Amino acid sequence: MPDDLIVRRETHVPAPPAAVFALLTDPEQILRWMGTEAQLDPQPGGLYLVNVTGARFARGAFREVVPVHRLSYSFGWDGSEAVPPGSSLVEIDLIEQPDGTLLKMTHTGLPNAEQCAGHAEGWGHYLGRLAVAAAGRDPGPDPFYGRTG
């Protein structure tokens, strides 16, 4: 897999790993920073379904769930030919630090540079909102609300 088709993000989150893990796996908590509705069953084979923008559903299945340390799930978009449901892989590691958690995210299996750029923008946006929510603040209305692409 070409290295330029991998999206990598590292974000410092001012909360312990358990709190960050809950923000990633609890259907009510994920909505504090991303999406308008969510169905999450964080166990291997369990459903990952989030209406990210109010107009676009991300769908996949959890592959690996190590509470408070690691998640991986297949990922794609309902109705997308470029990145259909389950066609890519998101891996997230949570590393405890004295002042919070280092979140390391890798997104692989995207088909081209255009999709990588779009997903890199999306991950940067949403991981920033996650860090705000983890700090106990309201990230405010999502400027990506209503996006279909």
Side-chain angles (χ1 to χ4, degrees), residues 3-118:
D3 201 48
D4 60 342
L5 294 183
I6 298 173
V7 175
R8 288 187 174 89
R9 287 283 180 267
E10 287 191 9
T11 302
H12 176 266
V13 182
V20 179
F21 190 83
L23 284 164
L24 292 164
T25 59
D26 181 293
E28 291 179 19
Q29 291 208 37
I30 200 170
L31 297 180
R32 292 177 50 203
W33 59 277
M34 178 177 71
T36 60
E37 57 187 301
Q39 293 178 42
L40 304 173
D41 182 14
Q43 61 181 335
L47 178 66
Y48 177 92
L49 179 64
V50 179
N51 187 344
V52 175
T53 66
R56 195 162 191 223
F57 283 88
R59 181 184 303 268
F62 286 94
R63 299 231 179 123
E64 185 179 7
V65 180
V66 180
V68 312
H69 297 293
R70 181 172 168 76
L71 285 175
S72 70
Y73 51 89
S74 62
F75 181 94
W77 300 99
D78 281 356
S80 171
E81 289 184 25
V83 186
S87 65
S88 65
L89 181 66
V90 174
E91 298 172 278
I92 298 173
D93 289 296
L94 303 176
I95 300 154
E96 187 169 7
Q97 297 185 319
D99 57 349
T101 301
L102 176 62
L103 183 153
K104 292 178 141 186
M105 188 278 312
T106 304
H107 191 163
T108 57
L110 295 166
N112 56 47
E114 179 185 3
Q115 287 296 326
C116 283

